[in-house]
Amino acid sequence: MSTRTTGMPSRTPSRRPFPVRTALLVAAVVALLLAVPWVFGTFTVMTFTRAVIFAVLAMSVNLLTGVTGMPTLGQAAYFGVGAYTGALVGIHWSELGVVQLLVATLAGVVAAVLTGPLAIRGRGVAFLMITLAIGEIAYSAAGRLDRVTGGTDGLSGIPPVVVAPGGEGLVNEGLVYYYVLAVAVLAYVGVHVLLRSPFGLTLRGMRDNEPRLRSVGYRTDSYALAAYVYAGGLAALAGSLWTSSQRFVAPGDMGFSISALALLAVIVGGVGSMWGACLGALLVVFTRDYLGQMFSGHSSLLLGILFVLTVYLLPQGIAGGRAQWRRIFPRDRGGRSPGSTSRSASPAGTPA
């Protein structure tokens, strides 16, 4: 039956056109990121590299906290699993970057599969505390398994990562940055595709009203476990990138502070927004590593100030929408600042 006779609208989905402004903004961001090694010094490039890696970890945290509605403090455990796995693969097996990434991601997935069924039994604060316990257990194990992890001394002597078979290792910090950036962009695209799929929409539905989804037949625990496993693999991917860039890994790289910083990045950037989480990671890392060096190591104080300012001025994060920005920078109904005047407001015959 045609839509003309029934009066019902067509159900054929229409794709929203990609805004020109968004395309220009994306192009500008990509150009700025590519120009980093050409503009800044070695220390700043290394800081950008760490920020990009933390952005991948923040996306992992945001997938659970902002998308699925399960706040976590345990993603550093899978970050550490990926870091140690990448280091061991580089030392004993292959220096090829793709091999290290795949094996590390697989290790994170396996670790998440083993611990996920326990974690998803809780929701809210219970889930938060379970993930915190998982993170602390992993941190303690990394410090005690001396033969595997090097104990509290960590693993050193990791060879430079190789991009292509037969190629040379990446020693130059600019090339390492480009390698990390390329993998991070692929990870972002993968998360973006996931969130636009029916699976991603179901995760958002769990965040908004899980009992309703359960009442209509959705197995929400299965979706929660799948999201947990995906987030664990993503965190392990970030850990492998960390090993490739730092060429050293220690138990401190999977401690509580790493999980807390990743969660802080999500809060600052905007819970539920992936690009906001990436921007939040950039701000958090630069506040800790760059500004902290400028102000005599007061990085914890600066991070606390950043958190307080975000909570009071931008409660929904940087990506939280235009409404909260309008509260900070108010404009009149004509779209101008309160003190500005328009040409139309000038008296007749008076030059504007």
Side-chain angles (χ1 to χ4, degrees):
M1 185 178 294
S2 65
T3 56
R4 292 184 179 179
T5 58
T6 59
M8 296 295 292
S10 175
R11 294 185 179 181
T12 303
S14 58
R15 295 184 178 181
R16 296 176 57 184
F18 197 69
V20 177
R21 182 182 300 179
T22 303
L24 293 176
L25 180 61
V26 171
V29 171
V30 171
L32 290 175
L33 291 175
L34 292 177
V36 165
W38 300 90
V39 177
F40 299 103
T42 302
F43 177 75
T44 305
V45 173
M46 295 174 62
T47 306
F48 266 102
T49 302
R50 291 192 295 270
V52 173
I53 296 172
F54 261 85
V56 179
L57 179 61
M59 287 192 292
S60 169
V61 174
N62 199 25
L63 180 62
L64 293 175
T65 302
V67 177
T68 314
M70 300 189 301
T72 176
L73 278 172
Q75 291 308 101
Y78 311 106
F79 180 83
V81 169
Y84 276 107
T85 302
L88 292 173
V89 169
I91 294 174
H92 300 291
W93 185 16
S94 174
E95 301 175 2
L96 199 59
V98 64
V99 175
Q100 297 178 15
L101 291 173
L102 291 177
V103 177
T105 303
L106 180 60
V109 167
V110 172
V113 168
L114 295 176
T115 57
L118 173 64
I120 65 170
R121 288 180 175 273
R123 293 292 190 272
V125 177
F127 179 81
L128 183 73
M129 299 309 296
I130 293 174
T131 57
L132 175 60
I134 292 174
E136 290 302 306
I137 292 173
Y139 170 75
S140 178
R144 293 177 180 272
L145 298 176
D146 296 342
R147 296 183 178 180
V148 179
T149 64
T152 55
D153 294 332
L155 282 179
S156 58
I158 303 171
V161 64
V162 176
V163 176
E168 297 182 357
L170 300 182
V171 180
N172 182 273
E173 293 297 336
L175 297 179
V176 174
Y177 167 78
Y178 282 136
Y179 167 74
V180 170
L181 180 64
V183 177
V185 170
L186 293 177
Y188 183 90
V189 172
V191 174
H192 180 73
V193 172
L194 176 74
L195 296 183
R196 293 177 65 90
S197 67
F199 176 78
L201 297 178
T202 304
L203 295 183
R204 296 184 186 277
M206 287 179 55
R207 176 196 62 191
D208 298 335
N209 198 331
E210 184 177 353
R212 177 174 294 181
L213 282 181
R214 193 182 297 115
S215 66
V216 296
Y218 282 87
R219 298 180 179 179
T220 56
D221 286 343
S222 299
Y223 281 94
L225 179 60
Y228 193 87
V229 171
Y230 191 98
L234 190 61
L237 178 71
S240 180
L241 291 176
W242 180 263
T243 300
S244 299
S245 64
Q246 305 299 312
R247 296 171 61 188
F248 175 78
V249 59
D253 295 327
M254 58 189 303
F256 169 76
S257 60
I258 301 299
S259 294
L261 287 176
L263 184 59
L264 176 60
V266 172
I267 295 174
V268 171
V271 178
S273 170
M274 288 301 166
W275 71 264
C278 295
L279 183 57
L282 182 69
L283 290 177
V284 167
V285 171
F286 266 85
T287 301
R288 183 194 66 175
D289 297 346
Y290 200 84
L291 296 180
Q293 295 289 335
M294 295 176 60
F295 292 94
S296 303
H298 292 88
S299 58
S300 298
L301 175 62
L302 295 174
L303 288 173
I305 294 175
L306 176 63
F307 177 73
V308 171
L309 291 177
T310 302
V311 170
Y312 278 94
L313 299 179
L314 300 172
Q316 298 178 0
I318 298 175
R322 299 180 180 179
Q324 57 182 358
W325 288 101
R326 289 172 180 172
R327 289 196 298 268
I328 302 175
F329 305 103
R331 293 176 178 271
D332 59 13
R333 295 182 179 179
R336 296 174 296 275
S337 301
S340 65
T341 57
S342 63
R343 295 180 181 267
S344 59
S346 302
T350 305

